[in-house]
Amino acid sequence: MSSSLLFAMRNPVIRTSVLAIFLFGFSGAATSPYQSVVGITELGLSDGFYSALIFVAALVNVTVSVTVGIVADRVGNYRTLMLAVILSGAIGYGLVYALPTKTSFVVATLALLPVYGALNSLLFANVRSAANGMGGKDAAAVNSGVRAAISLSWVLVPGLVGFLLSARGSMLPAYLLASLGCIANLLLVFFLLPARRGADPILSKRLSYLASLAEILSPRVLARLVAVALICSTLHVNATVLPLIVTGAAGGSATDIGIVVGVVALLEVIFILVWGRIQYRLNHVDALALGTAIYVVYMALLGFSSRPWHIYALTLISGFGAAALISIPITYLQDLIADRPGLGSSLIAVNVFLGGALSAALFALGTRISDYSGTALLGALAGVAGGALLLFLDGARRRAVSMP
């Protein structure tokens, strides 16, 4: 896998995309942990309004990501679209910092930053397009390396930003740092990312907006999206219940939360590369099913945790399983519409939205019928259901195809 990554990094498109996705992760990691603090505590938004705002923003992001993916396939040039969405991010983050009002926060969160979020899908589409000639397993290794760049930014940035701003009494400067990160990304893409040739005009009918939406909503694609969303919903459930279990049933402190999250994030960076190597031996479906099984075991054990050391002991399992769930679905989803890098990569945003929606429903149901520990067990059941559906849809077929 390392040789594949080193070979791929010689490609200026992939090399620039890796740096660009790190900067994309930098902007998100600098602001996301403090977004609710800025919106609710510093600017005075109500809890209910903030929740509705975040939900609508997620809906806008998935809509924009799909639209941008369709347009990217039509024009065959990701560079111009990347510049547009990065500029939207620079303006959005800068607006919140320069004009810290409720109105500017809402405009940025609801319109400008969801557009910037489409950069994630565009970058993976760009990498997929450049790596198509490498073969499936090498392309998966490249995807793993690119995904590790985002995780690395989340390991390094939140704590550093928190340390730098801890004495200021306001987290608004985080938005300035994010805007500067966007500007750096804008210059990087403008000067270093080569332009690509236009799309094949023969495919113009299939590349229409309605035809593209029909592909996403086809039973073949939609059923697999549901399976992956069920699997990935466990990540969202864990993000919600882990702090509550640590400070509740496990009797830990806020310090324990920070340490556990940091350790797991660091392990994810390492294990993402390990899973890229595993995919040389297993196909995407079997590898994702294995990763799901590992994470389900972690979620179940988390539900039974009653001491802080229990949580610390689970970090290795958590990091290994989570690395599979945040990296392997990228290649799997792209393969669902393999000849459309833009549209196939937009499924990443669709999956994030569906996974988040499912996790919200699971949390609401779990806390209604049980406690936070019971909700973790319910999340594990969702992972089991998603993994079973995935194997039902693709397991036998993929194994049959791989047989001599």
Side-chain angles (χ1 to χ4, degrees):
M1 186 193 72
S2 59
S3 60
S4 297
L5 286 175
L6 291 174
F7 175 76
M9 289 297 285
R10 297 175 186 173
N11 184 315
V13 173
I14 295 177
R15 184 171 61 247
T16 304
S17 296
V18 169
L19 296 173
I21 210 158
F22 176 83
L23 289 172
F24 171 78
F26 173 90
S27 296
T31 55
S32 291
Y34 313 109
Q35 180 175 268
S36 59
V37 175
V38 171
I40 296 173
T41 305
E42 297 194 30
L43 300 181
L45 297 178
S46 68
D47 293 342
F49 183 85
Y50 178 81
S51 298
L53 178 66
I54 296 305
F55 174 79
V56 176
L59 190 58
V60 173
N61 172 247
V62 72
T63 303
V64 172
S65 295
V66 171
T67 302
V68 168
I70 294 170
V71 173
D73 288 330
R74 287 183 66 88
V75 302
N77 187 344
Y78 303 104
R79 182 173 175 272
T80 301
L81 290 169
M82 285 184 192
L83 292 172
V85 299
I86 295 172
L87 181 61
S88 179
I91 295 172
Y93 288 122
L95 180 65
V96 174
Y97 175 74
L99 298 171
T101 64
K102 292 180 181 179
T103 301
S104 65
F105 185 87
V106 170
V107 169
T109 304
L110 196 58
L112 295 170
L113 298 183
V115 172
Y116 174 62
L119 181 63
N120 184 55
S121 297
L122 276 175
L123 284 168
F124 277 106
N126 199 41
V127 169
R128 177 57 182 256
S129 181
N132 268 341
M134 297 181 63
K137 294 185 181 299
D138 285 333
V142 172
N143 268 342
S144 296
V146 174
R147 183 58 183 82
I150 298 181
S151 293
L152 182 61
S153 67
W154 276 85
V155 171
L156 300 175
V157 176
L160 180 61
V161 171
F163 175 77
L164 291 175
L165 302 183
S166 59
R168 289 182 172 267
S170 171
M171 299 309 296
L172 278 168
Y175 282 78
L176 173 61
L177 294 175
S179 183
L180 293 175
C182 289
I183 293 172
N185 214 353
L186 194 70
L187 296 173
L188 175 75
V189 171
F190 183 80
F191 286 108
L192 297 182
L193 187 67
R196 300 179 64 83
R197 64 178 179 83
D200 186 346
I202 297 176
L203 298 176
S204 59
K205 183 176 180 180
R206 186 182 165 217
L207 297 179
S208 71
Y209 190 83
L210 292 179
S212 299
L213 287 182
E215 286 197 63
I216 294 178
L217 297 176
S218 66
R220 181 187 70 85
V221 174
L222 192 58
R224 288 161 175 80
L225 271 173
V226 171
V228 177
L230 278 168
I231 291 170
C232 292
S233 69
T234 58
L235 293 169
H236 297 282
V237 171
N238 176 69
T240 304
V241 302
L242 176 63
L244 301 169
I245 291 176
V246 169
T247 56
S253 66
T255 301
D256 293 314
I257 297 173
I259 295 173
V260 168
V261 171
V263 169
V264 171
L266 180 60
L267 290 173
E268 286 174 2
V269 176
I270 299 169
F271 287 139
I272 283 174
L273 300 177
V274 173
W275 280 106
R277 188 173 184 84
I278 289 173
Q279 288 177 84
Y280 277 99
R281 299 177 180 273
L282 297 177
N283 62 52
H284 304 326
V285 174
D286 290 341
L288 183 54
L290 175 61
T292 302
I294 292 170
Y295 204 72
V296 163
V297 170
Y298 156 70
M299 289 292 289
L301 293 175
L302 177 64
F304 290 108
S305 297
S306 58
R307 296 286 187 277
W309 72 264
H310 294 169
I311 308 295
Y312 283 100
L314 292 176
T315 53
L316 194 63
I317 303 175
S318 173
F320 192 46
L325 270 55
I326 63 179
S327 61
I328 299 174
I330 294 171
T331 305
Y332 176 80
L333 292 169
Q334 288 177 323
D335 284 347
L336 293 180
I337 312 178
D339 60 337
R340 299 280 305 277
L343 186 63
S345 297
S346 74
L347 297 181
I348 300 169
V350 177
N351 175 62
V352 171
F353 177 77
L354 291 178
L358 286 170
S359 72
L362 290 168
F363 182 78
L365 176 61
T367 52
R368 184 177 183 85
I369 64 176
S370 183
D371 54 13
Y372 299 133
S373 297
T375 303
L377 297 176
L378 186 61
L381 288 177
V384 171
L389 180 57
L390 180 76
L391 291 175
F392 173 77
L393 292 170
D394 276 339
R397 180 176 65 83
R398 293 293 178 90
R399 282 190 289 273
V401 169
S402 64
M403 288 177 64

